[in-house]
Amino acid sequence: MVDLRKEQQVINMVEWIERPFILGAEDVFYLVMMAFFVALPCSQLGAFLVLRRMSLVGDAISHSVLPGIVVAFLFTEDLSSPWLLVGASGAGLLVTFMIEMIHSKTRVKQDAAIGIAFTSLFAIGVILVSVYASKVHIDADCVVYGKLVSILDHDSVTMLGYDVPKPLVTSAIVAILTMLTVIVCYRILLLSSFDPGMAASIGYRPRIVHYALMAVLSMVVVTSFQAVGAILVIALLIIPAASAYLCSHRLKVMLLLSGVHALISSVMGLYLYVWMDCSFAAAMVVAGSILFLFAWFFGPADGIIIKAFHRRSISLGND
Amino acid sequence: MDYDFTTLASFTINQKAFLATIILGVASGLLGAFVVVRRIALVGDALSHAVLPGVVLGFVMCHMLGIDKNPWVIFSCAVSIGLLGAGMVRAIESTTRLKSDAALGIVLASFFGVGLAMQSGLKDYIDNRAGISTYIYGNAAMISDADLAAMFWTTFVLVVVVWLLIRPLLVVSFDSGFAVGLGYPVKWLNFIFYTLLTFSVVVSMQAVGVILVSALLITPAATAYLLTDRLYRMMLYAVGFAVASGLLGCYVSLTIDSADVPTGPLIALTAAILFGLVYLMAPQHGVISKSLKVFRRKQRINRENTLKAIYKMLENEGFAHDGVGLRDLAEVRKRSIEEVKLDVQRLRKSKEASFDDAKSGIYLTPSGWRRAVEIVRNHRLWELYLTNQADYDADHVHDDAEKIEHVIGASTVRQLERDLDFPVLDPHGKPIPSVSQTMAQQSDGGSQKGATGY
């Protein structure tokens, strides 16, 4: 990789915009696509988390998949093995179950139960990582920052004459599968998110829907783990969905806007990464947060300005 | 107020690490108790992530000012950014439709992302890189004398403020509407509370790391919550558990060979194990004692139902026999012979019935008789109460009485007797038996008016 900071700083608009392409047009494209394919499935599932008021369960799961990944890795010694998905969804279901066991069996409330469950599993994960540091190729830094850029060092598959990095192919498959799942199960998810009672009466068992969503979520989280680490996943889950929520009252539009948010923050993230020479994953989150601020102020459905405008027109009408 | 730092120099690194964990145990235990009872456990989690940009800013400020890593600069930056985060959560909640979980998630994630971007992007402005990763991963052995002094004084201020404001804080935590009514400045109290919370988060960060701070805040306090109903005691226990898990975790981290295991996860894990133990074993709120209680109650109700069935069978025959047959009882209880045999064995164990193998007959002992009469009496009194006083139909009262007969106490029964004017017959025309009568008297001609249950 080119050391960008040693490049002479030229305050020139075109140069700033062209700067990422120092990496090479193909690599730039791969990085953006990788970021997008990681962010897209997260944003779609995140929409349902926000609607179900379970954002922090998503946070809990994203931390807790760590021990699942490490244990599966110790057995398979292959970071791209499908067993990692199994391990991670096992850990994801375990944390969901732990939360349930703590707050339904004792007087400890759900928020504290979430805190207890995910911190203990995350602690186990970090301990495993550091004990088996020589064996596991996940270091503590990867857990925190993710290693999105490292996809360029991976083996590649030749597709249509291009050498596409392997992780990009995996993420693309996961993204497409998640999208298909959301489209196929759209009605179930819609109904059980807005009216669980009605959904149950039609025969969509709420517990099964709940656990299934958690399992899919854990799988998506684990595929994004390598790219963005265990902690920043929560940003990819919540921020696009929350921003879209402020822009529309319709679920379909919200899902679409979450996807758009994922795309824009991938591109913006790349620029921030190149300009600031910081971690790509963190740059993506910063970009996403800036977009959220925009939605917060200018969102057509629930933005501060539109609401102030409504209030003003109401008071004018009263005069 | 002059603390002698030279004494710190005489401590070894390990002793300092232990000292640090004691201090942070006190800070997070105290605040954790409030956090758990206020049900804002995840605010702690959000705050701990949100202070990261503040920490990085602190390091950058130190670089700009041309000084060494100064804990006070870092501390004040971290606290201000933490409060900014708490304010953002409030702002998102109050100006949009997003609920608190999403607001917390947004602040947690975006602040943490900004912090990481700053940390990786401003490498040139951070002199002490190892120092900053101590904040992220947590390492008690890396804490310097100056850090320790800062932690000590912060915790000292925190304890004093909590001690001075304990009553208002308590009222605000449990019932903020009531606090408004009392004339407390609730907004200020909440501001002070969040400031203190940020203090405790920043204090524990160096030893436990950004992500696991919430473990030390939530887990010990939740453990304490299972052991007591009083807030003061809960605070004390929470501090105890937090200090204990800090010391144990720190001890393990310092003794095991692979020195790479950071302290934070070990402390968090110890706290979780302690919680697990209490979760199972707590005398009142523990899972084992709770399920034991449920099991015992089920057993008692089953015994009482068997006694009641025997009584009713005797009553149907006009108390002509002193015992009932096993087969008949099985039929009445709608159970298999084996199950009923087990039931009878339990009654024999509690000395409420005896069993004659030769005639396969079951006989009530005096105490068994009394209990049977009590249950039937409770049942029929309740049925009468529901029909007479609560205007229920006579055919709707049985199921309710089936449940209540096992739980109403002596004083309620007394009250029922008085309210119903010492009745003799239940709504279905069956006699309400009196406990003072023996079986023989019962068969003689039922109870006289005015007989009480005891």
Side-chain angles (χ1 to χ4, degrees), chain B residues 335-348:
Chain B
R335 293 191 171 184
S336 71
I337 299 276
E338 280 70 34
E339 283 171 324
V340 172
K341 259 189 188 155
L342 267 176
D343 287 344
V344 172
Q345 239 152 43
R346 292 200 187 104
L347 284 179
R348 277 170 76 179

Side-chain angles (χ1 to χ4, degrees), chain A residues 53-55 59 101 105 107 109 111 120 123-124 141 145 231 235 242 245 248-249 278-279 289 296 302 307, chain B residues 39-41 45 95-98 101 106 110 112 117 119-120 137 211 225 228-229 265 269 272 279 285 290:
Chain A
R53 305 186 186 170
M54 287 183 9
S55 314
D59 185 34
M101 283 317 275
K105 297 271 176 193
R107 57 191 192 139
K109 298 300 171 307
D111 61 328
S120 49
I124 292 174
D141 275 339
Y145 305 94
I231 297 142
Y245 191 62
S248 170
H249 289 300
C278 62
S279 138
S289 312
W296 192 8
D302 203 19
K307 274 200 286 200
Chain B
R39 304 188 192 172
I40 51 166
D45 187 39
T95 58
T96 70
R97 294 179 295 153
L98 291 165
D101 66 310
I106 292 163
S110 55
F112 193 70
Q119 191 228 344
S120 47
Y137 304 113
I211 300 141
Y225 193 45
T228 171
D229 292 331
L269 191 61
Y279 171 77
H285 301 287
K290 259 190 186 169

Side-chain angles (χ1 to χ4, degrees), chain B residues 369-385:
Chain B
W369 167 259
R370 200 173 313 123
R371 189 81 199 117
V373 169
E374 263 168 35
I375 294 298
V376 173
R377 188 180 168 75
N378 289 354
H379 182 100
R380 292 182 180 166
L381 276 173
W382 188 255
E383 284 187 339
L384 193 64
Y385 172 75

